[in-house]
Amino acid sequence: MEAAEDAGREAWMLLFQLFRSNRREIAQLHSEFDLNPAQVHLMLHVNPESGSPMNELAESLACDASYVTGIVDKLEKRDLVQRQPKPDDRRVKLIALTSQGGEIRNQLMARVSQPPAFIAAMSAADKETLRDIFRRAAVDLPSPGADWMHDLKR
Amino acid sequence: MEAAEDAGREAWMLLFQLFRSNRREIAQLHSEFDLNPAQVHLMLHVNPESGSPMNELAESLACDASYVTGIVDKLEKRDLVQRQPKPDDRRVKLIALTSQGGEIRNQLMARVSQPPAFIAAMSAADKETLRDIFRRAAVDLPSPGADWMHDLKR
DNA sequence: TATTGTTATACTCTATAACTATA
DNA sequence: TATAGTTATAGAGTATAACAATA
């Protein structure tokens, strides 16, 4: 269908603009917490109960292991995370949240999951429709790692 | 409404994931054209007829003027843009596309406006609903510079 | 005096390669 | 021999400050 093609295209361009309108809020988040995007990502992806091995974090951040070392160094210096030995494999270090880190993580989570202005301003009906459409889209996506936010559900 | 709050929240989290699933395609675009995000942005924002002053480009890229100098240096070296004097204000340099640059710009535009997988895979009805919702959202946004893609319409 | 653009410089982000400790 | 993490280093991306030319 010609019309549907155009609808998809226009929806995409509009979404692009809307996302862009959110740029400032995101920058605000980073400067407020004094954490760069990778650091925020790590804080949210660490398993808050058992901690996470660094190689798993590198995977989920899609970055090199050496960079994770650097991120963890900084977060550890700020007493947000702690390196812990893994008893059954002493090559591995588990990154665990400190109590302060857990606090920050909760604050981050609350902020990140808060819908940006362009969604918050929608009518209740539009929000629900949007959610339904995205639920469907999330299902039939090729989806490599679509469950990356599993730990955000807690 | 409690339910609508949750709907907005869930829609946002889903959108976040969906966007993330598109990460690879974007990286692909950049490496294919051998242009970093700022360079792509500049290529798309230059006025293709009259050229654009560098300070205007710095504004739209939300970066420092000195960085625009660097971007333009690289693009000029690749013969994609050209610095031109502005007759009525000799402090200003207009950045204009070369014919080759115009070609690349067209290719970029075609690619950027192509909806990502998570939209392309939607039903025709969902695409149209999505477009309608975003149209409404784009209208009543506080919207600083929501028309940034004005020149993409040509 | 204010503005446009450039230069020099420095800082942050991120990857690669070489290394160590452990498996 | 292979894997997890670290170190040293280098390259991109980006900002700040000082400056020159023009308004």
Side-chain angles (χ1 to χ4, degrees), chain B residues 92-105:
Chain B
V92 174
K93 279 166 193 158
L94 290 174
I95 306 308
L97 294 169
T98 62
S99 60
Q100 198 197 153
E103 185 60 36
I104 298 291
R105 185 192 135 100

Side-chain angles (χ1 to χ4, degrees), chain A:
Chain A
M1 287 298 116
E2 176 72 19
E5 272 316 292
D6 284 358
R9 200 169 284 269
E10 187 180 345
W12 168 236
M13 295 307 267
L14 287 167
L15 178 55
F16 210 98
Q17 288 179 231
L18 290 168
F19 236 98
R20 196 157 186 277
S21 74
N22 197 35
R23 214 174 23 79
R24 207 171 295 265
E25 294 179 45
I26 293 174
Q28 172 70 13
L29 173 85
H30 292 137
S31 82
E32 232 174 80
F33 285 84
D34 190 23
L35 294 170
N36 74 22
Q39 292 168 332
V40 169
H41 194 126
L42 190 146
M43 289 295 290
L44 291 175
H45 282 258
V46 164
N47 184 312
E49 279 107 29
S50 55
S52 303
M54 296 183 66
N55 61 347
E56 203 172 274
L57 292 170
E59 172 88 15
S60 111
L61 282 157
C63 76
D64 193 82
S66 65
Y67 185 45
V68 176
T69 296
I71 298 175
V72 169
D73 283 350
K74 282 176 203 134
L75 295 178
E76 204 169 34
K77 218 165 281 173
R78 287 171 60 178
D79 196 32
L80 297 177
V81 303
Q82 233 180 353
R83 281 173 169 91
Q84 288 176 352
K86 190 183 183 198
D88 52 309
D89 186 342
R90 282 159 45 209
R91 292 173 303 179
V92 174
K93 279 166 193 158
L94 290 174
I95 306 308
L97 294 170
T98 62
S99 61
Q100 198 197 153
E103 185 59 37
I104 298 290
R105 185 191 134 98
N106 290 340
Q107 293 172 24
L108 278 172
M109 192 101 74
R111 277 289 290 276
V112 165
S113 66
Q114 201 172 322
F118 76 88
I119 289 181
M122 287 178 183
S123 73
D126 277 359
K127 282 179 193 167
E128 285 163 26
T129 307
L130 202 62
R131 177 201 58 197
D132 295 342
I133 290 176
F134 287 155
R135 275 184 181 167
R136 283 193 284 276
V139 165
D140 57 36
L141 202 67
S143 183
D147 63 341
W148 72 280
M149 256 183 188
H150 66 283
D151 45 21
L152 302 191
K153 299 268 168 70
R154 313 239 168 97

Side-chain angles (χ1 to χ4, degrees), chain B residues 42 46-47 50-58 65 68-69 72-73 76 81-97:
Chain B
L42 189 146
V46 164
N47 185 314
S50 55
S52 303
M54 297 183 66
N55 62 347
E56 204 173 276
L57 292 170
V68 175
T69 297
V72 169
D73 283 349
E76 202 169 36
V81 303
Q82 234 181 352
R83 281 172 168 91
Q84 287 175 352
K86 190 183 184 200
D88 51 309
D89 186 344
R90 282 160 47 209
R91 292 174 305 179
V92 174
K93 279 166 193 158
L94 290 174
I95 306 308
L97 294 169

